[in-house]
Amino acid sequence: MKSTPLSLIAGTVALAAVTGFAALTAPGEVGAPEAKAAARLPVERTSLLCPSPGGVELAETTYTSLTPAGEGGGEAGTAELKPAAPVSDDDAKDDDKKGGKDGKDGKDDKADAKKEKPVVTLKEAGKPVTAETSDEDAPALIGTATGRLAPGWAAQQTTVSPAGSARGLLGLSCGAPDTDFWFPGASTAKTRQDYIHLTNPDDSALVADIELYGPEGPLASDIGDGVTVPGRSSVPLLLSTLTTDAVEDVTVHVTTRGGRIGAAIKVAEDEAGTDWLAASTDPSGSLVLPGIPADATSVHLVAFAPGEDDADVKVQLLGKNAPFSPAGNDTLHIKSQMTASVDLKDVTGGEPGSVRLTPVGSGATPIVAALRVARGSGDKQEIAYIPATEPVGGRATVADNRAKGSVLSLTAPAADAKVKVTTSAGSEGGEQTVKTYTVKAGTTLEVTPEVPSGLKGAYALTVETESGGPVHAARTLTVTEGGIKMFTVQTLPDDGGTVDVPRVTQDLSVLED
């Protein structure tokens, strides 16, 4: 019984420390403060991961990084992308004992320092920075932004592969680490070389599981069950080596048993092109896949229902003026645990568009989906991928845009919307510009961004929803090489630059006996 007052005092002190309040309110006291709504505040730390662009001869890769101008949190902060470099506990212990890895004039220390030197360093918001590499063995990059540079931090890697059977433009927005990824649209066919890249940003190794699903259900695979990804490293795996089944359309599911990773699939298709396949948004009953170019010659839809129930969805194209259903493909039946696909051909009819998938009837079975889009034909063909994506929300950014070749697609599936589009200053000069657009419900608006005044270098595009919506967005980047319109499409989901922070009030009634 004598210990009770001390326990009570200790609990009171602990509560005061957690809540940050200097004044305490006794239990039952009249006028005790009421809990207030959560405040929306800028994040103070952001992580991004970029897979290795290497493995392609004569390729040139550009990294572009930007934090949108605006209110940031706390200190000035930093934003850096560094090479992935595995570190083991044994190495660290050896370093402590020897004052260096081999004790020979610190040469290995210098090599380690070089590995840790940032590839891209951002020092101010509102102005992008770029870096380039032609290194065939270029590593994956691990990035962290803090303070004012954390909210909305975006980075992209863009690779031009000018030669070979899978020449093309590869673009990917570097993504945040996660524990669960869905990739409809992959393949284990003989004409494809699809590599899944798993990047671990932490010092400790983790285990990832890879599941493959074809049109008939799960594909037999022992290799994908328990893939070890060492700390601060990236592991590429050729999908066709994970199973003996050669399947045209495959859905890949990646999960982790501990920790978080980055995941993306590098697709190379013989005589057709190459690009990155980013993960679909989380399974949902309704999906939007924005940004099909007006001159698309082929649109291939791949969808998957991960749950125990089949899904029937209505397929619509949100065109320039109104939504419509493709003739003969107005609905799609997706069996549970089986990958479904449909060739929509040149469904856009020369106009820009986006695909919307909605439930047929009252059910809303969650699905994931992606599009394989082709432009050109024959030896002039090139491909890109558009995964289902979340709305722009408050704000979204795509980092790498050029003076020529950037096109922005804005889609409002449910209601009219007004959006603000900011083109940032250039990486080497120029002033930002701001323009507002209205997107009509059920349509896709394609705009050529207003290039920043005096632009030099690359610029970033930031889209903000001002009213109405929701709005889904994608940016198409085109680079002409050898007479081929090489292109890549990046979607613009909400950047998560702000989070809800609960307003805490003191309540000592929990200490009452």
Side-chain angles (χ1 to χ4, degrees), residues 331-342:
T331 61
L332 178 64
H333 180 68
I334 310 168
K335 293 183 179 180
S336 170
Q337 307 282 302
M338 298 182 185
T339 298
S341 63
V342 59

Side-chain angles (χ1 to χ4, degrees), residues 188-240:
T188 59
K190 294 181 179 179
T191 57
R192 291 272 289 266
Q193 297 286 307
D194 288 15
Y195 281 87
I196 185 161
H197 289 245
L198 307 177
T199 305
N200 179 3
D202 299 319
D203 293 336
S204 301
L206 59 76
V207 175
D209 293 315
I210 303 173
E211 300 170 314
L212 307 178
Y213 298 88
E216 302 300 323
L219 303 182
S221 174
D222 293 329
I223 302 175
D225 184 18
V227 177
T228 299
V229 186
R232 299 190 64 79
S233 70
S234 188
V235 174
L237 296 169
L238 180 61
L239 292 182
S240 60

Side-chain angles (χ1 to χ4, degrees), residues 93-106:
K93 291 176 182 177
D94 288 343
D95 286 348
D96 289 341
K97 292 178 180 178
K98 299 177 182 179
K101 214 153 199 178
D102 61 358
K104 297 179 181 179
D105 301 325

Side-chain angles (χ1 to χ4, degrees), residues 73-88:
E75 302 175 354
T78 60
E80 297 178 335
L81 289 166
K82 293 183 177 182
V87 177
S88 71

Side-chain angles (χ1 to χ4, degrees), residues 166-344:
R167 78 289 172 275
L169 182 67
L170 302 94
L172 181 70
S173 294
C174 301
D178 206 341
T179 61
D180 198 338
F181 302 86
W182 290 98
F183 297 94
S187 179
T188 59
K190 294 181 179 179
T191 57
R192 291 272 289 266
Q193 297 286 307
D194 288 15
Y195 281 87
I196 185 161
H197 289 245
L198 307 177
T199 305
N200 179 3
D202 299 319
D203 293 336
S204 301
L206 59 76
V207 175
D209 293 315
I210 303 173
E211 300 170 314
L212 307 178
Y213 298 88
E216 302 300 323
L219 303 182
S221 174
D222 293 329
I223 302 175
D225 184 18
V227 177
T228 299
V229 186
R232 299 190 64 79
S233 70
S234 188
V235 174
L237 296 169
L238 180 61
L239 292 182
S240 60
T241 65
L242 304 183
T243 179
T244 58
D245 298 321
V247 180
E248 190 68 32
D249 292 312
V250 172
T251 298
V252 180
H253 186 209
V254 179
T255 56
T256 63
R257 300 185 192 178
R260 299 184 302 164
I261 59 173
I265 296 178
K266 182 190 287 186
V267 173
E269 184 173 344
D270 292 348
E271 310 302 330
T274 181
D275 206 350
W276 288 99
L277 169 60
S280 170
T281 188
D282 292 339
S284 176
S286 299
L287 298 174
V288 176
L289 301 88
I292 304 172
D295 60 349
T297 53
S298 173
V299 178
H300 188 70
L301 170 64
V302 182
F304 182 78
E308 297 181 356
D309 298 325
D310 293 355
D312 287 289
V313 297
K314 183 177 182 181
V315 181
Q316 287 183 304
L317 188 86
L318 307 182
K320 183 179 179 180
N321 298 307
F324 66 90
S325 295
N329 292 308
D330 55 337
T331 61
L332 178 64
H333 180 68
I334 310 168
K335 293 183 179 180
S336 170
Q337 307 282 302
M338 298 182 185
T339 298
S341 63
V342 59
D343 190 355
L344 301 177

Side-chain angles (χ1 to χ4, degrees), residues 201-505:
D202 299 319
D203 293 336
S204 301
L206 59 76
V207 175
D209 293 315
I210 303 173
E211 300 170 314
L212 307 178
Y213 298 88
E216 302 300 323
L219 303 182
S221 174
D222 293 329
I223 302 175
D225 184 18
V227 177
T228 299
V229 186
R232 299 190 64 79
S233 70
S234 188
V235 174
L237 296 169
L238 180 61
L239 292 182
S240 60
T241 65
L242 304 183
T243 179
T244 58
D245 298 321
V247 180
E248 190 68 32
D249 292 312
V250 172
T251 298
V252 180
H253 186 209
V254 179
T255 56
T256 63
R257 300 185 192 178
R260 299 184 302 164
I261 59 173
I265 296 178
K266 182 190 287 186
V267 173
E269 184 173 344
D270 292 348
E271 310 302 330
T274 181
D275 206 350
W276 288 99
L277 169 60
S280 170
T281 188
D282 292 339
S284 176
S286 299
L287 298 174
V288 176
L289 301 88
I292 304 172
D295 60 349
T297 53
S298 173
V299 178
H300 188 70
L301 170 64
V302 182
F304 182 78
E308 297 181 356
D309 298 325
D310 293 355
D312 287 289
V313 297
K314 183 177 182 181
V315 181
Q316 287 183 304
L317 188 86
L318 307 182
K320 183 179 179 180
N321 298 307
F324 66 90
S325 295
N329 292 308
D330 55 337
T331 61
L332 178 64
H333 180 68
I334 310 168
K335 293 183 179 180
S336 170
Q337 307 282 302
M338 298 182 185
T339 298
S341 63
V342 59
D343 190 355
L344 301 177
K345 301 180 180 180
D346 55 347
V347 66
T348 61
E351 293 185 355
S354 303
V355 168
R356 176 172 62 183
L357 304 177
T358 53
V360 173
S362 58
T365 302
I367 61 172
V368 293
L371 298 174
R372 174 194 177 275
V373 179
R375 296 168 77 184
S377 60
D379 60 0
K380 301 295 185 182
Q381 187 182 80
E382 161 71 323
I383 59 172
Y385 287 84
I386 304 174
T389 184
E390 296 178 1
V392 168
R395 182 182 62 188
T397 296
V398 60
D400 186 4
N401 296 277
R402 319 289 172 85
K404 295 181 180 180
S406 292
V407 174
L408 179 66
S409 293
L410 304 168
T411 301
D416 291 357
K418 182 181 291 186
V419 297
K420 181 173 74 172
V421 178
T422 301
T423 56
S424 75
S427 57
E428 299 175 20
E431 300 293 331
Q432 78 167 31
T433 62
V434 178
K435 195 165 183 179
T436 300
Y437 298 93
T438 298
V439 188
K440 294 182 179 180
T443 69
T444 296
L445 175 65
E446 184 178 89
V447 299
T448 299
E450 187 172 334
V451 176
S453 175
L455 173 67
K456 292 183 181 180
Y459 68 92
L461 277 173
T462 298
V463 180
E464 299 172 79
T465 306
E466 291 201 321
S467 63
V471 175
H472 298 254
R475 189 286 326 270
T476 299
L477 178 64
T478 302
V479 175
T480 302
E481 187 84 22
I484 302 173
K485 282 187 176 181
M486 298 179 177
F487 77 113
T488 183
V489 180
Q490 277 69 58
T491 58
L492 283 81
D494 190 301
D495 62 23
T498 58
V499 293
D500 288 327
V501 179
R503 298 179 185 273
V504 183
T505 58

